[in-house]
Amino acid sequence: MSSVLVLNGPNLGRLGTREPEKYGTVTYDELETKVGEWGGVLGLEVSVRQSDSETDLVHWIHEAVDSGRHVVINPAAFTHYSYALRDACALVTDAGLTLIEVHLTNTAAREEFREVSVISGVATGVIAGLGVESYRLALEAIASRAAA
Ligand code: DQA
């Protein structure tokens, strides 16, 4: 069974109340539940984590590489400037594992600073703008690549 670490960056723990007109009304806890259910349906073993700290995210990505787990990551604001996170993500794809970058919003259609992702260049793929569906589609992509 393929195993996936679903990682969420800063402020995503506030989903549900954080700018709901942009990020929706699904809470972080509800997102965790949905992601776990979607993973189960797709036959994936999924763990979901969130941290506001770049250090935690980098260490969790190392853990994914060491344990051979694929990664779905919403790097949140780190998307736009964290070279440390980018370098960690590169380790995932270099190891032959899949890394999908996800965003709830379409970052290309927002403020100019959000148009740049320092992560996309080392990701297997990017899914943005579909709300929590972005996560479901990322898991589907991992499941279908694992089955190929
Ligand atoms: C986000 C987009 C980022 O620009 C922002 O900083 C976030 C959330 C998204 O899911 O749309 O925190 O990654």
Side-chain angles (χ1 to χ4, degrees):
M1 180 185 269
S2 293
S3 194
V4 186
L5 213 44
V6 178
L7 303 179
N8 292 286
N11 303 305
L12 292 171
R14 298 282 169 148
L15 281 182
T17 53
R18 174 192 180 203
E19 300 182 82
E21 68 290 352
K22 293 193 181 82
Y23 297 114
T25 52
V26 172
T27 65
Y28 178 73
D29 286 349
E30 288 167 348
L31 174 68
E32 271 203 0
T33 304
K34 280 177 187 290
V35 167
E37 286 171 2
W38 291 328
V41 169
L42 291 163
L44 300 170
E45 190 204 317
V46 175
S47 349
V48 193
R49 301 182 193 168
Q50 189 274 327
S51 179
D52 296 331
S53 148
E54 190 180 37
T55 310
D56 287 343
L57 293 163
V58 168
H59 287 168
W60 290 339
I61 293 166
H62 292 172
E63 191 186 315
V65 172
D66 293 342
S67 58
R69 278 185 274 185
H70 304 289
V71 174
V72 172
I73 184 165
N74 184 343
F78 289 143
T79 305
H80 313 299
Y81 66 90
S82 174
Y83 298 122
L85 213 52
R86 177 196 165 98
D87 287 349
C89 289
L91 293 172
V92 177
T93 43
D94 283 352
L97 297 161
T98 298
L99 181 138
I100 312 280
E101 175 187 347
V102 297
H103 298 283
L104 295 156
T105 62
N106 177 1
T107 47
R110 298 183 59 192
E111 301 95 324
E112 211 177 321
F113 76 89
R114 293 186 207 275
E115 285 174 19
V116 173
S117 166
V118 300
I119 308 296
S120 299
V122 295
T124 310
V126 183
I127 300 172
L130 302 168
V132 296
E133 276 287 292
S134 295
Y135 290 78
R136 191 179 62 72
L137 293 168
L139 292 174
E140 271 193 15
I142 287 175
S144 85
R145 287 167 65 85

